[in-house]
């Protein structure tokens, strides 16, 4: 029996698009709305509501006590991560622009995040990542220069403990994405292939925001 054969009212209403439904499932609170406004003022595109909810859930599922974020922005994704992490967990977040770190500090303060729970490291991610402890992190979230995603991937996997998760923001899929030849698209495709072929990893591409590519490191 297909849904077309049911009479009106007999079938629960389906959302027109499941992605829209996922993006509207958990609304932002005041602190997130304010952080998003700050991001917009600075011209930085934060994670969507659906992507943020997935990040918070991943941090909670991992009981994350140590998370690395590449690309702090105005702190929107950081707030989701901090809210999913263990209450004593520390978010290490890297950004090349001091202005974004200032904005993120304001976002964290407004959300009553204890100052000791965030470690904001200024600089280029490729210079900062080698200074972090290999195997010392539960979750790595990547949302910075997409041409550098394959390099963040190599370094990020080393930072993860066994069973840890790495997540990449804005990894589109589909035939349109597959046709693009610009350097960002090529780098992102290289990343997607590397995750698929890496025997240490269990990957999945989630249709949230611009595409959230996640992979767990084997136990
Ligand atoms: C899209 S924004 C991050 C948004 C943030 N994750 C959120 O959802 O609120 C990208 C950030 O990456 C930073 N960025 C770009 N290239 C970088 C690099 N090579 N190293 C470190 N940060 C970089 C930018 O300054 C910007 O703040």
């Amino acid at each position: 029996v297909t849904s077309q054969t049911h009479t009106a009212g007999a079938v629960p209403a389906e959302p027109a698009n499941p992605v829209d439904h996922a993006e509207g499932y958990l609304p932002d609170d005041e602190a997130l709305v304010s952080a998003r406004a700050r991001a917009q003022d600075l011209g930085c595109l934060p994670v969507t509501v659906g992507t943020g909810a997935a990040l918070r859930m991943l941090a909670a599922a991992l009981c994350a006590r140590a998370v690395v974020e590449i690309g702090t922005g105005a702190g929107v994704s950081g707030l989701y991560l901090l809210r999913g992490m263990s209450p004593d967990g520390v978010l290490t977040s890297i950004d090349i622009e001091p202005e974004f770190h200032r904005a993120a500090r304001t976002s964290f303060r407004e959300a009553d995040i204890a100052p000791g729970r965030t470690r904001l490291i200024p600089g280029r991610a490729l210079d900062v990542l080698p200074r972090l402890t290999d195997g010392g992190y539960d979750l790595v979230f990547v949302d910075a220069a997409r041409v550098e995603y394959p390099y963040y991937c190599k370094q990020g996997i080393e930072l993860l403990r066994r069973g840890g998760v790495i997540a990449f923001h804005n990894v589109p899929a589909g035939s349109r994405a597959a046709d693009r030849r610009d350097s960002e698209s090529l780098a992102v495709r290289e990343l997607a292939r590397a995750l698929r072929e890496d025997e240490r990893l269990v990957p999945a591409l989630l249709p949230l925001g611009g595409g959230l590519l996640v992979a767990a490191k084997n136990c």
Side-chain angles (χ1 to χ4, degrees):
V1 178
T2 66
S3 59
Q4 282 95 350
T5 60
H6 285 288
T7 52
V11 181
E14 284 294 323
N17 177 345
V19 172
D20 290 347
H21 194 51
E23 293 295 346
Y25 176 55
L26 292 171
D28 279 344
D29 66 4
E30 224 175 275
L32 277 164
V33 169
S34 166
R36 284 188 189 284
R38 210 165 283 120
Q40 191 170 5
D41 287 347
L42 292 171
C44 147
L45 204 60
V47 293
T48 63
V49 176
T51 303
L55 292 176
R56 188 178 65 155
M57 186 279 290
L58 281 172
L62 292 162
C63 287
R65 297 191 66 235
V67 173
V68 174
E69 176 180 60
I70 306 172
T72 315
V76 174
S77 49
L79 276 181
Y80 284 107
L81 290 164
L82 284 157
R83 287 172 168 180
M85 292 167 71
S86 159
D88 60 349
V90 174
L91 173 72
T92 297
S93 190
I94 305 164
D95 206 293
I96 202 165
E97 299 284 351
E99 197 182 8
F100 284 115
H101 272 169
R102 278 195 291 278
R105 270 195 197 93
T106 306
S107 300
F108 298 151
R109 196 172 48 245
E110 279 186 7
D112 291 328
I113 302 291
R117 293 198 60 208
T118 56
R119 178 169 68 139
L120 303 186
I121 305 184
R124 196 171 156 258
L126 290 179
D127 297 331
V128 176
L129 290 169
R131 296 176 1 216
L132 305 182
T133 308
D134 284 353
Y137 294 89
D138 306 294
L139 176 60
V140 174
F141 173 56
V142 181
D143 187 15
R146 294 203 311 157
V147 284
E148 296 184 350
Y149 272 22
Y151 306 100
Y152 301 156
C153 178
K154 282 200 186 83
Q155 298 187 353
I157 292 168
E158 296 307 320
L159 297 179
L160 287 179
R161 63 153 163 94
R162 285 168 181 271
V165 170
I166 189 161
F168 295 85
H169 189 219
N170 276 333
V171 178
S175 51
R176 261 209 235 152
D179 287 344
R180 294 196 191 117
R181 290 276 169 270
D182 57 283
S183 54
E184 281 194 354
S185 302
L186 292 173
V188 164
R189 279 211 295 284
E190 182 188 332
L191 163 80
R193 196 190 54 249
L195 285 201
R196 214 169 30 221
E197 291 173 359
D198 193 323
E199 289 181 354
R200 297 168 298 173
L201 300 176
V202 182
L205 181 52
L206 309 180
L208 294 166
L212 186 67
L213 181 57
V214 295
K217 191 168 176 178
N218 276 332
C219 293

